[in-house]
Amino acid sequence: MSVYILGIESSCDDTSAAVIRDDVILSNVIAGQDVHRNFGGVVPELASRAHQQNIIPVIDNAIRKAKISKNQLSAVAFTQGPGLLGSLLVGISFAKSFSMGLGIPVIEVDHLQAHILAHFIRGAALHGEPSGDKVPSFPFLCLTVSGGHTQIVLVKDYFDMQIIGQTIDDAAGETFDKAAKIMGLPYPGGPVIDKLAAAGDPSRFTFSRPVTSGLDFSFSGLKTSILYFLRDELKKDPDFIEKNKNDLCASIRLTIVDILMNRLQQAAAATGIKEIAIAGGVSANSLLREKLETTGRELSWNTFIPKFEYTTDNAAMIAVTGYFKYLGHEFASFRSKPYARSKW
Ligand code: KG4
Ligand code: ZN
């Protein structure tokens, strides 16, 4: 008999709900939050309020799009953390009361594990049966790059994951966002820089590259070097950013992607693993996607690039993680609490 899971994601600034039948996605509804646009980052209190407004229509929409009745649901999976506590609480409270009303279990999902397990979502359910999409085999390496995290994870099994490298300061997504803010571009900066970079010359400007040990990352030096460089240039020409926007974006994007790819190559060489995936919001970056493919071809890697809709925050990844936990009967108690910081 099929398992139907409702996934709920509310860790940051996207309210999302998805329904999955086993590992086949039936719906994935995401409501973004425009309220943060003018603040250069997410304002936690505004995020919680927007989640409260969005959560019922988003869930209702996800169940309707999946063309199932809520009574067919086997369990409700929710993001427990890491994330903004006030935002997480909205999703958790809804998940608990909804499942209590339906008499079905709740399942806790770690947001970072979910970004990785998004690679196991089978698609195309709305247009017929799944196409047998290619999924990674264990063990594989995953470069998880989001707004809050930058990690290289050794994935031994669905829930047996080990971080073998991570940032010692800023995350890659955060660096894109901060660079955009310095240049007066809107939040989130990653997609904006990616788009402007397409028409720019990446070799025009060079920025400092970090010196970190092992497989760790550091991005705060890069952020500072962008800040100081622009401050000096703006003194000479107040229109410097406007005149060089595309080249600046292309140079910044190349620097960040090179830092990520260098470490990933090192990790692959150190572990001997050739199954290589990327995940998280920054995995939407067109240059990172392109470089993973070309490097993968050169080094005979088997590469896994998520579909765009599963890169930035979404509930489909929460639902598929919930499905694997359901199979292992890993249910939560109604006392479940959110956590702000990563548990591993
Ligand atoms: O995974 P995600 O949606 O949320 C977190 O869990 O943090 O990642 C959001 C991050 C933001 O920093 C955003 O600027 C970045 O992903 N991002 C991108 C792109 N699309 C989103 N960064 C670079 N290029 C993109 N195309
Ligand atoms: Zn995320």
Side-chain angles (χ1 to χ4, degrees):
M1 213 173 82
S2 294
V3 173
Y4 290 90
I5 308 280
L6 169 69
I8 301 175
E9 156 63 33
S10 70
S11 66
C12 192
D13 60 342
D14 291 297
T15 318
S16 180
V19 176
I20 205 162
R21 186 189 64 223
D22 300 332
D23 55 356
V24 178
I25 200 75
L26 301 180
S27 65
N28 183 35
V29 177
I30 304 172
Q33 302 183 352
D34 273 346
V35 282
H36 311 289
R37 246 190 128 66
N38 297 328
F39 294 96
V42 177
V43 184
E45 178 58 27
L46 295 181
S48 317
R49 291 185 206 186
H51 283 304
Q52 276 189 317
Q53 282 183 340
N54 293 341
I55 193 134
I56 292 177
V58 164
I59 287 172
D60 185 50
N61 211 344
I63 293 174
R64 271 196 282 129
K65 278 197 173 158
K67 296 196 171 58
I68 64 156
S69 144
K70 63 180 185 309
N71 297 315
Q72 284 175 269
L73 289 171
S74 319
V76 180
F78 61 85
T79 307
Q80 191 188 7
L84 302 169
L85 286 179
S87 293
L88 289 164
L89 271 173
V90 178
I92 295 186
S93 311
F94 188 92
K96 285 182 190 169
S97 36
F98 196 49
S99 60
M100 216 180 257
L102 293 171
I104 55 176
V106 274
I107 299 173
E108 295 163 340
V109 171
D110 181 272
H111 184 88
L112 294 166
Q113 286 189 343
H115 268 303
I116 296 172
L117 295 178
H119 282 286
F120 294 92
I121 297 170
R122 311 250 184 193
L126 299 176
H127 313 288
E129 281 310 297
S131 53
D133 321 38
K134 181 178 103 157
V135 297
S137 46
F138 302 113
F140 65 92
L141 292 181
C142 186
L143 171 72
T144 309
V145 268
S146 70
H149 295 86
T150 300
Q151 309 174 328
I152 298 179
V153 184
L154 169 58
V155 188
K156 297 178 204 160
D157 205 341
Y158 296 108
F159 299 106
D160 186 359
M161 303 184 184
Q162 186 191 344
I163 297 169
I164 58 171
Q166 61 188 320
T167 182
I168 56 168
D169 41 55
D170 294 348
E174 195 178 355
T175 311
F176 274 110
D177 296 337
K178 286 181 176 170
K181 194 173 179 181
I182 297 169
M183 288 191 285
L185 300 171
Y187 174 86
V192 183
I193 291 183
D194 198 13
K195 208 166 155 203
L196 290 168
D201 172 5
S203 61
R204 191 61 207 294
F205 306 108
T206 42
F207 296 106
S208 87
R209 309 228 166 178
V211 188
T212 47
S213 61
L215 296 173
D216 284 342
F217 300 90
S218 167
F219 287 102
S220 68
L222 170 61
K223 177 194 65 192
T224 313
S225 108
I226 296 169
L227 184 68
Y228 288 172
F229 172 73
L230 290 178
R231 194 191 55 186
D232 293 346
E233 293 299 327
L234 284 171
K235 273 187 205 150
K236 293 180 240 161
D237 176 3
D239 294 328
F240 181 80
I241 294 178
E242 200 47 49
K243 286 181 189 160
N244 298 286
K245 210 176 250 176
N246 297 92
D247 292 347
L248 282 167
C249 287
S251 306
I252 292 168
R253 180 178 72 167
L254 178 66
T255 311
I256 297 175
V257 169
D258 271 353
I259 294 170
L260 295 172
M261 284 305 301
N262 283 343
R263 281 286 184 260
L264 190 55
Q265 279 190 49
Q266 248 179 290
T271 56
I273 292 174
K274 285 177 179 280
E275 294 272 305
I276 315 283
I278 53 174
V282 181
S283 69
N285 188 271
S286 45
L287 184 66
L288 180 61
R289 295 167 83 91
E290 191 187 308
K291 289 225 170 191
L292 185 75
E293 275 192 354
T294 48
T295 310
R297 266 197 301 275
E298 278 164 25
L299 300 176
S300 312
W301 290 350
N302 217 355
T303 54
F304 300 88
I305 298 174
K307 287 194 180 136
F308 272 109
E309 61 262 44
Y310 306 140
T311 54
T312 46
D313 290 348
N314 66 87
M317 67 185 196
I318 306 302
V320 77
T321 308
Y323 167 66
F324 291 122
K325 285 207 165 176
Y326 185 94
L327 296 182
H329 301 282
E330 278 186 65
F331 303 123
S333 101
F334 285 112
R335 289 171 174 275
S336 174
K337 286 201 221 88
Y339 50 87
R341 297 192 152 270
S342 180
K343 279 194 164 176
W344 44 294

